[in-house]
Amino acid sequence: MELVDQSSVQSSHCSTEDCGRKSHHSDKVKNSIVSRLNRIEGQVRGIKGLIDKDTYCDDVLNQIASVQSALNGVGKLLLEHHMRSCVIDRIQEGDTEVLTELLTTMNKLMK
């Protein structure tokens, strides 16, 4: 997992009051996420190609595991940014409901 340099996390946040639940990622974080998602998209297209070519099932399953791992990495990056910015900001604003939201999201990610 790639940790986010705190200098790249801007002081903006995703408060529901200020910006309608939008997240404001630094250019560095956004570029990293988009780059990872582009690679994942290519991997998924590759898996479709493997199926078209009747590739041995175990080889396809290993590629699927690779895609799942890559998606988990993107999820961890987003979760870290969310906790360091959005969650902290909303708690400081007195919105403790964000903790329930965070726990629900974390449970979904851990399935």
Side-chain angles (χ1 to χ4, degrees):
M1 177 176 88
E2 176 181 309
L3 295 179
V4 176
D5 176 16
Q6 286 308 295
S7 64
S8 70
V9 177
Q10 299 171 346
S11 62
S12 58
H13 52 84
C14 47
S15 166
T16 56
E17 295 171 15
D18 296 340
C19 53
R21 293 181 59 96
K22 285 190 174 183
S23 185
H24 299 285
H25 304 287
S26 69
D27 287 341
K28 181 178 180 182
V29 171
K30 188 180 283 190
N31 289 339
S32 175
I33 291 169
V34 169
S35 175
R36 288 170 179 236
L37 290 173
N38 286 337
R39 280 195 303 272
I40 292 166
E41 184 179 20
Q43 287 178 292
V44 170
R45 280 193 307 270
I47 291 170
K48 286 170 58 178
L50 294 176
I51 296 296
D52 287 340
K53 295 176 187 173
D54 296 322
T55 302
Y56 184 62
C57 295
D58 190 60
D59 295 337
V60 176
L61 291 168
N62 283 314
Q63 289 303 310
I64 290 171
S66 177
V67 168
Q68 289 172 328
S69 177
L71 278 172
N72 286 339
V74 171
K76 288 175 188 176
L77 181 64
L78 280 169
L79 180 61
E80 178 185 352
H81 175 74
H82 182 58
M83 291 175 70
R84 291 184 186 272
S85 59
C86 306
V87 173
I88 289 172
D89 289 344
R90 286 179 59 188
I91 289 172
Q92 289 174 344
E93 293 169 358
D95 180 4
T96 57
E97 185 62 28
V98 70
L99 294 176
T100 302
E101 176 186 280
L102 177 63
L103 290 171
T104 300
T105 300
M106 290 178 68
N107 281 326
K108 288 176 185 177
L109 286 170
M110 292 179 164
K111 282 187 177 182

